[in-house]
Amino acid sequence: MSAMTFGEMLTELYVNENVGALERLYLHRATRRSRGELIFGRDAIRQQALADLAEFSGWRFQINASTDAFADVEWLSPDGATVRRHYWIILENGRISADRVISRPLHPAPIQQHHQLLGELDSGHGQVGPGELVGFSLIAQNLHKIWNGRQIGLLNALYDDEARWTGPGLEGGLSDLKSWWLAQFLAFPQSHIVFERELSFENHRALLWQWARIDVDGRRDRVAGSTCLHLVGDKIVQETTLIE
């Protein structure tokens, strides 16, 4: 990936405030998708970086995990507030042609955009159901059974007893994760998560996914999500899940 890794670029950008580092990795025609919006061109991405520097002035920036195609980063304010972000990268000849950014902002805005079903909730095909998830790891297959097959009991086999979890607006241990998923199942009687990408690096596993849902009042929406898992052996010891 050229002379600078993605993690090094983020450090140059958000620690050393070197905006020019972005131009060394992003193609001029690069695109970014974030919170349902698609922006075009490195200049527009640079403007977002400048806005970040202004918004997070005086905050501490840290990279929690990174590889050439993914990064889990966090900004921490002096008073303890945090903003977390996952970057998903598409490379072309060693430079970034597109990225997908999933953020956990300070003040999440309610979802305004609603979509008609595209068939995956009720079709009985593809990734629907608790069967095997073709082309993904065993860990992803088990998450598929939990998230889509609603096999909550698998959490105990997949996660370490002392696992730490950070989710949308919440954090805690395994019992908190279990309670959160049960609440989602109640809130969205019909829902399905489609797994899009999976990356494995060092002792981490990252998953990018789309969640189509119908709530108890019949409202439909679709959100993007990203999960970063920290593994020790075959057990998950830490999870961070962000929803767009």
Side-chain angles (χ1 to χ4, degrees), residues 122-143:
D122 302 299
S123 68
H125 300 289
Q127 295 184 9
V128 174
E132 286 192 3
L133 188 63
V134 178
F136 288 80
S137 69
L138 180 60
I139 287 174
Q141 290 176 29
N142 283 326
L143 289 173

Side-chain angles (χ1 to χ4, degrees), residues 16 110 158 163 174 195 217 225:
N16 299 328
L158 195 58
L174 185 57
F195 291 72
D217 296 317

Side-chain angles (χ1 to χ4, degrees), residues 127-133 141 144-146 148-151 154:
Q127 295 184 9
V128 174
E132 286 192 3
L133 188 63
Q141 290 176 29
H144 168 53
K145 292 175 184 177
I146 294 167
N148 292 322
R150 306 194 178 196
Q151 298 183 32
L154 287 177

Side-chain angles (χ1 to χ4, degrees), residues 75-122:
W75 285 265
L76 300 95
S77 75
D79 60 1
T82 63
V83 171
R84 196 137 185 185
R85 192 178 288 177
H86 287 174
Y87 290 87
W88 288 84
I89 303 303
I90 295 176
L91 294 172
E92 184 177 314
N93 297 322
R95 300 186 72 188
I96 298 171
S97 62
D99 67 15
R100 182 69 180 270
V101 181
I102 310 291
S103 297
R104 185 185 67 198
L106 277 175
H107 306 292
I111 296 171
Q112 301 294 333
Q113 189 174 17
H114 299 287
H115 304 265
Q116 295 296 316
L117 292 180
L118 299 182
E120 69 271 20
L121 292 185
D122 302 299

Side-chain angles (χ1 to χ4, degrees), residues 11-26:
T11 299
E12 276 294 303
L13 177 59
Y14 291 119
V15 176
N16 299 328
E17 300 183 338
N18 176 13
V19 182
L22 184 146
E23 299 188 4
R24 295 175 58 183
L25 283 188
Y26 280 81

